[in-house]
Amino acid sequence: AVMRAVETIAARGGRVLAIASGRHGDGDLPLAIDGFHLSFEGLVGLADPLRPTAAGAVADCQRAGVRVVMITGDYPATARAIAAEAGLAEGDILTGEDLRALSDEDLAARARRVSVFARTLPEQKLRIVTALQAAGEVVAMTGDGVNDAPALKAADIGVAMGGRGADVARAAADLVLLDDDFASVVAAMRMGRRIYDNLRKAMGFIVAVHVPIAGLALLPLVLGWPLFLAPAHVAFLEMIIDPVCSTVFEAEPAEPDVMRRPPRDPREGLFDRRRLLTSLGQGLTTLAVVGGAYWVASRLGMAGDALRAVAFLTLVLSVIGLVASNRSFGGVLSAVRRPTPAFGAIIAVALVVTVAVMAIPMARELFHFAPAPWAGVGVAIAGAAATLAALDLLRRMTSVRGPL
């Protein structure tokens, strides 16, 4: 009857204590519990409910391809009830007794399929972490007690609780949660993936934007054409337009599917060969469009400094197109559906500075520009639109996730 009551309380997620009274004869008190004559008095069930955010955080992890494992000293029935409430995958439960009977190789094989470890001892937490690592997993371990410190130290990422965690646990960990909430781990994961994505976007843009700049500076020298980019133009592009546009990616929000993809391979490079080639393809596309705009403007009768002004305006507008194309992995349309204040501000700054350079006589003389006719402005705008269309087509053809 007592054990049935234990199972009933544990099945509701309660932690069960057995209460007994002890008597002893005359003389000194016994030094050990077994020196008393014990009589069972009853059971006490303690509720340690999950945080309201726990189940949602576990679901987010599972959608992101991250498996959550619970290691506890609780009774197996209690552990099973808490695991079900948290949304952990159902399956076998390994207890501390089971662990003692398993070799390290057998434990590594079982750890791949087990989500709940119950009745575990402190040293067994360390063994579970090393078994998961031996199975090829990247392991993050959370804990708050002194007994958790070895496992926190051994894990690839040790996460200690900053509110109720022991000093030793915080010292052994790599990260400390100030609010002791598992949902904060998921928030950090989301932020890390967003930063990683934005680094890739920014690197793709930086590689792409330097191709037309280098091409327009070097091709006239190689082919014997009139010089197109003077040092003032290169300095303007490198010190104003390029850095200003690059800051857009710092404020980019997370991709809609950022927590619906599996973790990346740790051996994967930040910028692999295929991404490099596609970014070079973007740059060559932009260079071709600017060259086409230069040719069209010359056929319309423009020459000299006016022709240079039209081609330069086409280049600046195409650079803005490169930013728009790289803002989202979904392409230009996806970026348009997610406007940000930073992107709007950067476009405004780039356009105002460019117009000022072309409108102020002193600046125009420094850059060797002549007033661009309206037909030339139309050519530049059409060139920027062609750049956007060509970049979107390139993205569809290559279908690479990341900055194209």
Side-chain angles (χ1 to χ4, degrees), residues 94 103-114 131-132 134-135:
L94 279 184
S103 65
D104 291 341
E105 293 77 13
D106 292 337
L107 178 57
R110 293 286 300 276
R112 283 181 172 274
R113 304 187 300 273
V114 175
L132 289 168

Side-chain angles (χ1 to χ4, degrees), residues 289-342:
V289 169
V290 175
Y294 186 91
W295 180 82
V296 170
S298 65
R299 299 291 292 179
L300 292 176
M302 292 172 238
D305 291 348
L307 184 59
R308 179 181 290 110
V310 171
F312 190 81
L313 179 59
T314 306
L315 176 59
V316 172
L317 294 178
S318 296
V319 168
I320 295 175
L322 278 174
V323 176
S325 180
N326 282 282
R327 279 186 59 224
S328 172
F329 293 155
V332 177
L333 292 179
S334 178
V336 169
R337 287 194 294 265
R338 298 190 308 160
T340 62

Side-chain angles (χ1 to χ4, degrees), residues 190-200 249 270:
R190 182 189 300 273
M191 181 181 293
R193 291 187 176 195
R194 169 181 164 265
I195 292 172
Y196 190 84
D197 284 350
N198 287 349
L199 281 173
R200 283 185 160 180
F249 301 104
L270 180 63

